Amino acid sequence: MRMLVFGHGYTAGFLTPLLLARGWQVAGTTRADAARVAEAGAEPLIWPGDDAAVRQAIAGADAILVSVAPERGADPVLAGFGAEIAAARPRWLGYLSTTGVYGDHGGGWVDEDTPLTPSTRRGHERVAAEQGWQQLAAEHGLPLHIFRLAGIYGPGRGPFAKVRAGTARRIVKPGQVFSRIHAEDIARVLLASIHAPRPGAVYNVCDDDPAPPEAVIGHAAELLGLPLPPTEDYASAEMTPMARSFYAENKRVSNARIKRELGVTLRYPDYRAGLAALARAEGITV
């Protein structure tokens, strides 16, 4: 069985070993970091660049995962290779989207049937990309699965380095919560879907505990035995427009469907479990 990953980055680095252990061959595209892709055990394909090799990989793929963000308002994989993917008819096709497609719900719960009302440019672009893939799938009978990912963390992407460096910030916006997901659990959800395809399915991929961002930073400081970073009021805090935009949306994302349909049991059901694992990996006693 052969998997092709468009955008073999951080998340794919957790999926590839799971596939290799089950006898799969994996190829992944990268703009320039072929060594990183190869280190994960996948065959690197430079794209943009070696388009002929990518087309050959598409033709031979049993499964294709798209982990590339829209660029300049368009999905580059759909635009560049949509016809080839339709002709190849893989057994499984996955698209990694974001929970940002739901927009702001004032801290209320959303699930996969919630209407999509994005409030940011990135959210609007993701909705358009989802619709583009759904149209391609409908026209050609492709087994498309959409995964809406919450905020990703994991090894190398935890808060400990910033807490140690004294650069972590506890920015408080009353009532604000974010949903998160450990990268290992994303990989396990994708593997479960590959083993039990349901063409047309949409899955939220997040943990059980939407939580205030300042709580996560505070818990990381506690695990390190360091003082809590001072709180900052969101209204007056100095932030980049990008950072501030993340606080424009406030929602709790339900993960019930991945449990019900895919039988997934999260290894890291909340940020406490996830941070404890990261701490142990870094040699921090918890």
Side-chain angles (χ1 to χ4, degrees):
M1 299 290 285
R2 288 174 286 189
M3 164 68 81
L4 171 61
V5 179
F6 279 95
H8 195 291
Y10 185 76
T11 298
F14 293 87
L15 175 63
T16 290
L18 299 182
L19 293 172
L20 295 177
R22 289 158 177 80
W24 284 66
Q25 297 176 355
V26 182
T29 72
T30 177
R31 292 182 182 274
D33 200 351
R36 176 184 49 76
V37 176
E39 183 178 358
E43 175 192 355
L45 302 171
I46 301 300
W47 176 70
D50 195 351
D51 289 19
V54 174
R55 291 190 176 92
Q56 184 176 0
I58 292 171
D62 297 287
I64 296 175
L65 175 65
V66 180
S67 181
V68 176
E71 296 177 354
R72 295 182 292 277
D75 185 292
V77 179
L78 187 60
F81 299 106
E84 287 84 352
I85 292 172
R89 301 186 64 81
R91 301 181 188 181
W92 182 90
L93 175 62
Y95 177 72
L96 300 189
S97 185
T98 169
T99 57
V101 298
Y102 296 115
D104 180 43
H105 286 264
W109 285 94
V110 300
D111 62 21
E112 292 86 352
D113 297 321
T114 299
L116 306 185
T117 55
S119 58
T120 66
R121 177 184 57 81
R122 296 188 308 279
H124 281 284
E125 289 179 345
R126 286 293 190 175
V127 170
E130 285 190 13
Q131 292 172 344
W133 283 106
Q134 287 169 330
Q135 181 178 347
L136 184 76
E139 291 174 352
H140 298 278
L142 299 178
L144 176 67
H145 304 75
I146 292 175
F147 303 89
R148 294 174 179 156
L149 309 183
I152 302 170
Y153 74 101
R157 290 195 178 185
F160 294 125
K162 288 185 176 181
V163 172
R164 282 195 181 105
T167 58
R169 305 174 69 188
R170 286 200 300 151
I171 296 172
V172 178
K173 183 179 182 183
Q176 181 78 41
V177 295
F178 292 113
S179 291
R180 299 163 185 79
I181 187 67
H182 193 291
E184 287 185 27
D185 279 326
I186 297 174
R188 295 172 69 243
V189 169
L190 295 175
L191 186 67
S193 174
I194 292 167
H195 286 163
R198 187 171 77 79
V202 178
Y203 296 109
N204 291 332
V205 186
C206 56
D207 68 19
D208 298 342
D209 185 24
E214 68 272 17
V216 178
I217 296 297
H219 189 64
E222 291 175 3
L223 291 176
L224 290 170
L226 295 174
L228 295 179
T231 59
E232 302 178 50
D233 180 49
Y234 166 81
S236 57
E238 292 187 8
M239 304 169 66
T240 65
M242 174 69 78
R244 190 167 289 276
S245 71
F246 286 108
Y247 285 80
E249 298 180 349
N250 182 16
K251 55 186 169 287
R252 290 172 166 84
V253 183
S254 169
N255 62 13
R257 183 174 289 178
I258 60 172
K259 298 177 180 179
R260 183 176 67 250
E261 294 190 1
L262 297 177
V264 171
T265 299
L266 296 176
R267 183 165 294 168
Y268 308 106
D270 56 42
Y271 71 86
R272 298 168 192 83
L275 291 185
L278 296 184
R280 287 190 295 270
E282 295 185 22
I284 301 168
T285 302
V286 299

